[in-house]
Amino acid sequence: MPVSSTFMFVSQLDPDRREALELLLSTMTSEPGLADPNNSVVPFARLPGLHFARIVILDDNTAADNGAYGIATNPAPPKLAFLGDIDGRGEDFVKDLAGFAGPGLSRIFSHCLDFNPAVPLAAWLTAHNVEPVVNYSNWPGRTVRQVHDEAALRAALISYLPQERGLAASPSDLHRRLRNRAMKEGRKPAARQAVSLEERLREALDLAISVVFLVVLSPLLLFVAPLFLLILRHRETTDASMLARPSEEHLKSLVVREDFQVTNQFSAYGTVKPGRFRLWTLIFVFWVLGVTTRHLYTKGRLARVGSIHFARWVFLDNHRHLFFGSNYDGSLEAYMDDFVNKAAFGLNLVFSNGIGYPRTRYLILDGAKDEQAFKYYIRRHQLPTEVWYKAYPGLTTADIARNARVREGLDSARLSDVLARQWLAEL
């Protein structure tokens, strides 16, 4: 499949220049938090392989909760993060980014303490790039161009329907006529790039290594499981659980940036519970999640949730903090309900290792099932995203998948009436 990558440039923000930075970032938006694709600072629309991007200030808003665990309650210094999801290789994107938006990016990162204008921007960005511990893509290998081409194809086919339907003798004939017209007008996008043998072998090797590692490790896991569960249950029954409501001021700063499109952004930042036990548990959970996102959840769904375009988990500050960012369809309320109802165990596996999460049992039970406490936790850890960009506004994951099926239906010159009816129902 075509190569896809992520980027996340992180640098410590100069607190004295925060207000000036926020003012600059506001000039990049058409609505609060929603990027103008052609803004003069970072013209996102000029980066054809960029799916999503965001600029967010990472604040440890819940640092006061840390006192319940005997660790410092003074917030970590704020950081500035610019992150996104791209087609192609990261090093190529950084060069393009520095070329298209070098002056604007320099203006943005000049508000950071360690920005050095004497260093070539591409080199500085590369040095400040932080890799995700886990990355999820709704459909790996689907490019920005493919999304746009397939949306345009379906729109063209719909425009042909009124005329062609009256001339067709059957559903199969209507499919053929629509296909011929699309081909004649050059509307049919090129077939998606086939996965090379080298890529197939690399994926197979990665899966094989993961399976072998798990098999080799399984006797040890079985041996330590009773001790692990004892320690876990002790931690679960004694760890503090903060059920405080998010402040009205904080909620307003979030809500004002939501629901301008069919898709929304989510940025959250929090502290990992202290001690090696929780950290190693979280690292192992992320290892398993990484294997599943690379090899199992590759066809439009994360567990049973199909509304996420991209998501990532990132360790920061030597594993003391965890950042989670996602791009999802619908409202945040619906997004949270989706996970609570369909994949609460997955939420518990990861986020119960963070300070303030509702109490769990045996790592996967309860937790997010305390719906109100979970939603308070989410909102308290959520951060306002200062600038957010989506390359294909108006298209949900369901729309994109449907458009892909429409394109695939034109691969065959002739369909049976049954298959043609099914294909026509997608229009």
Side-chain angles (χ1 to χ4, degrees), residues 8 24 34 37 42 76 98 121 127 180 193 216 220 264 274 328 348-349 376 381 399:
M8 183 172 180
L24 173 62
L34 184 63
V42 180
L121 181 61
N180 289 345
Q193 182 178 330
V216 171
L220 177 61
N264 276 302
Y328 65 93
N348 294 341
L349 278 171
Y376 285 166
H381 288 80
D399 295 330

Coordinates of all heavy atoms in Angstrom, one line a residue, residues 8 24 34 37 42 76 98 121 127 180 193 216 220 264 274 328 348-349 376 381 399:
M8 N 4.7 14.9 14.5 CA 4.3 15.7 15.7 C 5.6 16.4 16.2 O 6.5 15.8 16.8 CB 3.8 14.8 16.8 CG 3.3 15.5 18.0 SD 2.5 14.4 19.2 CE 2.0 15.5 20.5
L24 N -1.5 35.0 17.1 CA -1.0 34.6 15.8 C -1.8 33.4 15.3 O -2.3 33.4 14.1 CB 0.5 34.2 15.8 CG 1.1 33.6 14.5 CD1 1.0 34.6 13.4 CD2 2.5 33.2 14.8
L34 N -10.9 26.3 13.8 CA -11.1 25.7 12.4 C -10.2 26.4 11.4 O -10.4 27.6 11.2 CB -12.5 25.7 12.0 CG -12.8 25.0 10.6 CD1 -12.6 23.5 10.7 CD2 -14.3 25.3 10.3
P37 N -7.9 26.9 5.1 CA -6.9 26.1 4.4 C -5.9 26.9 3.7 O -4.8 26.4 3.4 CB -7.8 25.3 3.4 CG -9.2 25.3 4.0 CD -9.3 26.6 4.7
V42 N 0.4 29.1 7.6 CA 0.6 27.7 7.2 C -0.5 27.3 6.2 O -1.6 26.9 6.6 CB 0.7 26.7 8.3 CG1 1.0 25.3 7.8 CG2 1.7 27.1 9.3
A76 N 3.4 20.8 34.5 CA 4.6 20.7 33.6 C 4.6 22.0 32.7 O 3.5 22.5 32.4 CB 4.5 19.5 32.8
A98 N 8.6 22.8 5.0 CA 9.6 23.9 5.2 C 9.6 24.8 4.0 O 9.8 26.0 4.1 CB 11.0 23.4 5.5
L121 N 15.3 25.0 9.1 CA 14.0 24.6 9.7 C 13.7 23.2 9.6 O 13.2 22.5 10.6 CB 12.9 25.5 9.0 CG 11.5 25.2 9.6 CD1 11.4 25.6 11.0 CD2 10.4 26.0 8.8
A127 N 14.4 17.2 14.4 CA 14.9 17.0 15.7 C 13.9 17.0 16.8 O 14.0 16.5 17.9 CB 16.0 18.0 16.0
N180 N -19.5 3.5 -18.8 CA -19.0 4.0 -20.1 C -18.9 5.5 -20.2 O -17.9 6.1 -20.7 CB -19.9 3.5 -21.3 CG -19.8 2.0 -21.5 OD1 -18.8 1.4 -21.0 ND2 -20.7 1.4 -22.2
Q193 N -3.1 1.8 -5.7 CA -1.8 1.2 -5.9 C -1.8 -0.2 -5.2 O -2.2 -0.3 -4.1 CB -0.8 2.1 -5.3 CG 0.6 1.6 -5.5 CD 1.7 2.5 -4.9 OE1 1.4 3.8 -4.9 NE2 2.8 2.0 -4.4
V216 N 6.4 -17.0 22.9 CA 7.5 -17.2 23.7 C 7.3 -16.6 25.1 O 7.7 -17.2 26.1 CB 8.8 -16.6 23.1 CG1 10.0 -16.6 24.1 CG2 9.2 -17.4 21.8
L220 N 5.8 -17.1 30.6 CA 6.1 -16.1 31.7 C 4.9 -15.3 32.1 O 4.7 -15.1 33.3 CB 7.2 -15.1 31.2 CG 7.6 -14.0 32.1 CD1 8.2 -14.6 33.4 CD2 8.6 -13.1 31.4
N264 N -15.0 16.1 13.9 CA -14.4 16.9 15.0 C -13.0 16.5 15.3 O -12.6 15.4 15.0 CB -15.3 16.9 16.2 CG -16.4 17.9 16.2 OD1 -16.2 19.1 16.0 ND2 -17.7 17.4 16.2
P274 N 2.1 7.1 38.8 CA 3.5 6.9 39.1 C 3.8 5.4 39.3 O 2.9 4.6 39.7 CB 3.7 7.7 40.3 CG 2.4 7.8 41.0 CD 1.4 7.8 39.8
Y328 N -12.6 12.4 14.5 CA -13.8 11.5 14.5 C -15.0 12.2 13.9 O -15.1 13.5 14.0 CB -14.0 11.1 15.9 CG -14.5 12.2 16.8 CD1 -15.8 12.5 17.0 CD2 -13.5 13.0 17.5 CE1 -16.2 13.6 17.8 CE2 -13.9 14.1 18.3 CZ -15.2 14.3 18.5 OH -15.6 15.4 19.2
N348 N -10.6 1.3 29.2 CA -10.1 1.0 30.5 C -8.7 0.5 30.4 O -7.8 0.8 31.3 CB -11.0 -0.1 31.2 CG -12.4 0.4 31.5 OD1 -12.6 1.6 31.6 ND2 -13.3 -0.6 31.7
L349 N -8.4 -0.4 29.4 CA -7.0 -0.9 29.3 C -6.0 0.2 29.2 O -4.9 0.1 29.8 CB -6.9 -1.8 28.0 CG -7.4 -3.2 28.1 CD1 -7.5 -3.8 26.7 CD2 -6.5 -4.0 29.0
Y376 N -16.7 13.1 32.6 CA -16.0 14.2 33.4 C -14.5 14.1 33.1 O -13.8 15.1 32.9 CB -16.4 14.1 34.9 CG -17.7 14.6 35.3 CD1 -18.2 14.3 36.5 CD2 -18.5 15.3 34.4 CE1 -19.5 14.7 36.9 CE2 -19.8 15.8 34.8 CZ -20.3 15.5 36.1 OH -21.5 15.9 36.5
H381 N -9.6 16.4 30.9 CA -8.2 16.2 30.3 C -8.2 16.7 28.8 O -7.1 16.7 28.2 CB -7.9 14.7 30.3 CG -7.5 14.2 31.7 ND1 -8.5 13.9 32.6 CD2 -6.3 14.0 32.3 CE1 -7.9 13.5 33.7 NE2 -6.6 13.6 33.6
D399 N -18.9 8.0 4.3 CA -19.0 8.5 3.0 C -17.8 8.0 2.2 O -17.9 7.6 1.0 CB -18.9 10.0 3.0 CG -20.2 10.6 3.7 OD1 -21.2 10.0 3.6 OD2 -20.0 11.7 4.3

